[in-house]
Amino acid sequence: QVQLVESGGGVVQPGDSLSLSCAASRRTLSMYAMGWFRQAPGKEREFVSSIRWSGGTTYYTDSVKGRFTISRDIAKSTVYLRMNSLKPEDTAVYYCAVHRVGAANYDLWGQGTQVTVSS
């Protein structure tokens, strides 16, 4: 059973930075992409960012462009999300996900890590 292990959440002040990481427990996993999603209280889960495993093309939702950076370490089967200039509206549970090769969409999900931005 493949697991995604997330780390790096916490409580920060507006303007601070935070980094998240997500490691897949099985390095032979055939991944098309890895991504980050978030869900704020009372809201639906939304896409934040993703990276193609082959080639490294990145995608961001408009609200985080210029502030967040996604990257990957292929050897470690790990994806990172560097979050700068954090805002209170970035507060949410952040989930990493894997879109496996051959799957229709993201089909493996992490347990989530809480990010709270508050003064």
Side-chain angles (χ1 to χ4, degrees):
Q1 184 77 10
V2 179
Q3 289 184 320
L4 301 180
V5 181
E6 301 163 355
S7 62
V11 180
V12 295
Q13 294 185 339
D16 284 352
S17 299
L18 202 60
S19 291
L20 306 180
S21 65
C22 174
S25 63
R26 195 168 75 194
R27 296 181 182 178
T28 58
L29 188 63
S30 296
M31 293 188 281
Y32 173 72
M34 285 189 80
W36 289 95
F37 295 75
R38 66 187 180 186
Q39 187 167 20
K43 296 186 177 180
E44 293 188 352
R45 186 171 59 194
E46 65 171 351
F47 168 81
V48 176
S49 180
S50 67
I51 185 166
R52 295 274 181 91
W53 210 245
S54 176
T57 303
T58 58
Y59 303 88
Y60 300 92
T61 192
D62 286 346
S63 63
V64 308
K65 285 180 181 177
R67 300 188 298 121
F68 290 12
T69 302
I70 191 170
S71 61
R72 75 200 189 305
D73 185 327
I74 294 176
K76 296 181 179 180
S77 295
T78 299
V79 65
Y80 306 93
L81 187 68
R82 176 65 175 177
M83 304 182 291
N84 295 327
S85 302
L86 282 161
K87 304 175 180 180
E89 51 264 43
D90 295 317
T91 295
V93 177
Y94 284 70
Y95 298 90
C96 77
V98 169
H99 181 175
R100 287 185 286 185
V101 172
N105 212 325
Y106 289 89
D107 60 332
L108 291 176
W109 293 85
Q111 79 283 2
T113 185
Q114 177 71 46
V115 172
T116 302
V117 185
S118 175
S119 55

mmCIF file of all heavy atoms in Angstrom, residues 10-16 86-91 115-119:
data_model
loop_
_atom_site.group_PDB
_atom_site.id
_atom_site.type_symbol
_atom_site.label_atom_id
_atom_site.label_comp_id
_atom_site.label_asym_id
_atom_site.label_seq_id
_atom_site.Cartn_x
_atom_site.Cartn_y
_atom_site.Cartn_z
ATOM 1 N N GLY A 10 2.089 24.298 10.024
ATOM 2 C CA GLY A 10 2.285 25.000 11.277
ATOM 3 C C GLY A 10 1.511 26.290 11.336
ATOM 4 O O GLY A 10 0.671 26.572 10.470
ATOM 5 N N VAL A 11 1.826 27.069 12.356
ATOM 6 C CA VAL A 11 1.179 28.371 12.562
ATOM 7 C C VAL A 11 2.214 29.458 12.310
ATOM 8 O O VAL A 11 3.298 29.438 12.912
ATOM 9 C CB VAL A 11 0.622 28.496 13.995
ATOM 10 C CG1 VAL A 11 -0.037 29.848 14.175
ATOM 11 C CG2 VAL A 11 -0.354 27.366 14.281
ATOM 12 N N VAL A 12 1.890 30.380 11.418
ATOM 13 C CA VAL A 12 2.804 31.469 11.084
ATOM 14 C C VAL A 12 2.021 32.771 11.031
ATOM 15 O O VAL A 12 0.790 32.779 11.011
ATOM 16 C CB VAL A 12 3.519 31.234 9.737
ATOM 17 C CG1 VAL A 12 4.423 30.014 9.806
ATOM 18 C CG2 VAL A 12 2.504 31.106 8.610
ATOM 19 N N GLN A 13 2.763 33.862 10.967
ATOM 20 C CA GLN A 13 2.141 35.181 10.866
ATOM 21 C C GLN A 13 2.058 35.612 9.405
ATOM 22 O O GLN A 13 2.820 35.113 8.562
ATOM 23 C CB GLN A 13 2.949 36.202 11.659
ATOM 24 C CG GLN A 13 2.933 35.956 13.157
ATOM 25 C CD GLN A 13 3.642 37.059 13.925
ATOM 26 O OE1 GLN A 13 4.453 37.795 13.385
ATOM 27 N NE2 GLN A 13 3.306 37.185 15.205
ATOM 28 N N PRO A 14 1.155 36.531 9.096
ATOM 29 C CA PRO A 14 1.078 37.035 7.716
ATOM 30 C C PRO A 14 2.435 37.563 7.262
ATOM 31 O O PRO A 14 3.130 38.247 8.015
ATOM 32 C CB PRO A 14 0.047 38.151 7.823
ATOM 33 C CG PRO A 14 -0.825 37.740 8.963
ATOM 34 C CD PRO A 14 0.098 37.092 9.951
ATOM 35 N N GLY A 15 2.783 37.208 6.038
ATOM 36 C CA GLY A 15 4.070 37.614 5.487
ATOM 37 C C GLY A 15 5.183 36.608 5.691
ATOM 38 O O GLY A 15 6.236 36.700 5.038
ATOM 39 N N ASP A 16 4.965 35.649 6.559
ATOM 40 C CA ASP A 16 5.976 34.629 6.819
ATOM 41 C C ASP A 16 6.014 33.601 5.692
ATOM 42 O O ASP A 16 5.176 33.594 4.788
ATOM 43 C CB ASP A 16 5.688 33.923 8.151
ATOM 44 C CG ASP A 16 6.066 34.770 9.344
ATOM 45 O OD1 ASP A 16 6.680 35.841 9.153
ATOM 46 O OD2 ASP A 16 5.744 34.363 10.478
ATOM 47 N N LEU A 86 2.856 34.585 3.066
ATOM 48 C CA LEU A 86 1.594 33.934 3.407
ATOM 49 C C LEU A 86 0.561 34.932 3.888
ATOM 50 O O LEU A 86 0.883 35.938 4.547
ATOM 51 C CB LEU A 86 1.827 32.859 4.464
ATOM 52 C CG LEU A 86 2.422 31.555 3.898
ATOM 53 C CD1 LEU A 86 3.052 30.725 4.999
ATOM 54 C CD2 LEU A 86 1.360 30.762 3.162
ATOM 55 N N LYS A 87 -0.686 34.651 3.550
ATOM 56 C CA LYS A 87 -1.816 35.499 3.898
ATOM 57 C C LYS A 87 -2.808 34.714 4.740
ATOM 58 O O LYS A 87 -2.842 33.485 4.665
ATOM 59 C CB LYS A 87 -2.515 35.981 2.626
ATOM 60 C CG LYS A 87 -1.618 36.701 1.641
ATOM 61 C CD LYS A 87 -2.366 37.036 0.369
ATOM 62 C CE LYS A 87 -1.480 37.751 -0.635
ATOM 63 N NZ LYS A 87 -2.207 38.084 -1.886
ATOM 64 N N PRO A 88 -3.616 35.393 5.533
ATOM 65 C CA PRO A 88 -4.628 34.675 6.319
ATOM 66 C C PRO A 88 -5.516 33.780 5.453
ATOM 67 O O PRO A 88 -5.926 32.703 5.901
ATOM 68 C CB PRO A 88 -5.422 35.808 6.970
ATOM 69 C CG PRO A 88 -4.433 36.912 7.106
ATOM 70 C CD PRO A 88 -3.592 36.832 5.868
ATOM 71 N N GLU A 89 -5.792 34.198 4.237
ATOM 72 C CA GLU A 89 -6.640 33.387 3.357
ATOM 73 C C GLU A 89 -5.950 32.121 2.852
ATOM 74 O O GLU A 89 -6.578 31.293 2.194
ATOM 75 C CB GLU A 89 -7.155 34.212 2.174
ATOM 76 C CG GLU A 89 -6.085 34.970 1.417
ATOM 77 C CD GLU A 89 -5.958 36.418 1.868
ATOM 78 O OE1 GLU A 89 -5.992 36.670 3.100
ATOM 79 O OE2 GLU A 89 -5.794 37.288 0.985
ATOM 80 N N ASP A 90 -4.668 31.958 3.148
ATOM 81 C CA ASP A 90 -3.979 30.711 2.822
ATOM 82 C C ASP A 90 -4.209 29.645 3.896
ATOM 83 O O ASP A 90 -3.795 28.493 3.728
ATOM 84 C CB ASP A 90 -2.472 30.945 2.678
ATOM 85 C CG ASP A 90 -2.132 31.838 1.505
ATOM 86 O OD1 ASP A 90 -2.729 31.651 0.426
ATOM 87 O OD2 ASP A 90 -1.250 32.702 1.664
ATOM 88 N N THR A 91 -4.846 30.032 4.981
ATOM 89 C CA THR A 91 -5.122 29.084 6.056
ATOM 90 C C THR A 91 -6.008 27.958 5.549
ATOM 91 O O THR A 91 -7.083 28.202 4.993
ATOM 92 C CB THR A 91 -5.802 29.790 7.232
ATOM 93 O OG1 THR A 91 -4.889 30.739 7.791
ATOM 94 C CG2 THR A 91 -6.215 28.793 8.300
ATOM 95 N N VAL A 115 -2.090 24.356 7.865
ATOM 96 C CA VAL A 115 -1.344 25.608 7.748
ATOM 97 C C VAL A 115 -2.263 26.722 8.249
ATOM 98 O O VAL A 115 -3.368 26.900 7.728
ATOM 99 C CB VAL A 115 -0.912 25.881 6.302
ATOM 100 C CG1 VAL A 115 -0.304 27.283 6.192
ATOM 101 C CG2 VAL A 115 0.077 24.835 5.835
ATOM 102 N N THR A 116 -1.807 27.428 9.262
ATOM 103 C CA THR A 116 -2.587 28.525 9.831
ATOM 104 C C THR A 116 -1.771 29.808 9.750
ATOM 105 O O THR A 116 -0.642 29.850 10.234
ATOM 106 C CB THR A 116 -2.974 28.240 11.282
ATOM 107 O OG1 THR A 116 -3.725 27.020 11.352
ATOM 108 C CG2 THR A 116 -3.810 29.372 11.854
ATOM 109 N N VAL A 117 -2.360 30.822 9.136
ATOM 110 C CA VAL A 117 -1.702 32.120 9.008
ATOM 111 C C VAL A 117 -2.530 33.124 9.803
ATOM 112 O O VAL A 117 -3.656 33.446 9.434
ATOM 113 C CB VAL A 117 -1.590 32.557 7.543
ATOM 114 C CG1 VAL A 117 -0.795 33.857 7.449
ATOM 115 C CG2 VAL A 117 -0.955 31.469 6.700
ATOM 116 N N SER A 118 -1.954 33.569 10.890
ATOM 117 C CA SER A 118 -2.720 34.437 11.785
ATOM 118 C C SER A 118 -1.782 35.360 12.554
ATOM 119 O O SER A 118 -0.675 34.954 12.935
ATOM 120 C CB SER A 118 -3.528 33.584 12.769
ATOM 121 O OG SER A 118 -4.177 34.397 13.719
ATOM 122 N N SER A 119 -2.248 36.565 12.780
ATOM 123 C CA SER A 119 -1.463 37.499 13.582
ATOM 124 C C SER A 119 -1.872 37.431 15.050
ATOM 125 O O SER A 119 -1.300 38.114 15.885
ATOM 126 C CB SER A 119 -1.641 38.921 13.048
ATOM 127 O OG SER A 119 -3.011 39.273 13.005
#
